[in-house]
Amino acid sequence: MTGKMYPDAMGKVTAILVFVGFNLTFFPQFVLGYMGMPRRYHSYPEEWQVLNVLSTAGAGVLGLGYTLTFCYLVWSLFKGKTAPANPWGAKGLEWETSSPPPTFNFDADPVVTEPAYNYKPAQEVHVG
């Protein structure tokens, strides 16, 4: 979309943070609901305090994951490596056009010669 590559390692780190944060936020809420806790309390009864604190901590981890994602996306707009036309060696038609694509995607009708998901192994991808 932007024509820039995102840092792969940061993408993996933030994906893990968002996954862990989401589950730490919402799984305790599911358990609390199953235990009978109403939705709105100004102070939690002691038996529900630990799960509510865990849910709050999960929301912090989730927020950190989204903040880091936003930061590296903005960073890549200015400092990211320019993306080649097909960085993953994908065979789908969306990768057979230039980036950004022309108004009607293709100047001529494309000829399909391989299955859409016939990816090349990573060591065979030729960029450039």
Side-chain angles (χ1 to χ4, degrees), residues 23-100:
N23 285 296
L24 279 176
T25 300
F26 295 107
F27 187 70
Q29 290 181 10
F30 170 77
V31 172
L32 286 165
Y34 185 76
M35 291 169 54
M37 181 183 148
R39 290 179 61 192
R40 293 176 182 88
Y41 261 65
H42 67 280
S43 65
Y44 303 115
E46 186 131 348
E47 66 267 17
W48 294 331
Q49 184 69 27
V50 172
L51 288 173
N52 280 295
V53 169
L54 185 62
S55 182
T56 301
V61 172
L62 186 61
L64 176 66
Y66 282 130
T67 301
L68 287 175
T69 301
F70 178 75
C71 290
Y72 82 71
L73 292 177
V74 170
W75 175 87
S76 68
L77 285 174
F78 300 104
K79 304 276 186 177
K81 187 173 67 171
T82 301
N86 188 354
W88 297 282
K91 297 297 177 183
L93 288 178
E94 66 272 16
W95 293 105
E96 298 299 324
T97 187
S98 62
S99 179

Side-chain angles (χ1 to χ4, degrees), residues 86 88-92 94-95 114-122 125:
N86 188 354
W88 297 282
K91 297 297 177 183
E94 66 272 16
W95 293 105
E114 296 183 55
Y117 301 107
N118 189 21
Y119 293 102
K120 295 180 186 176
V125 175

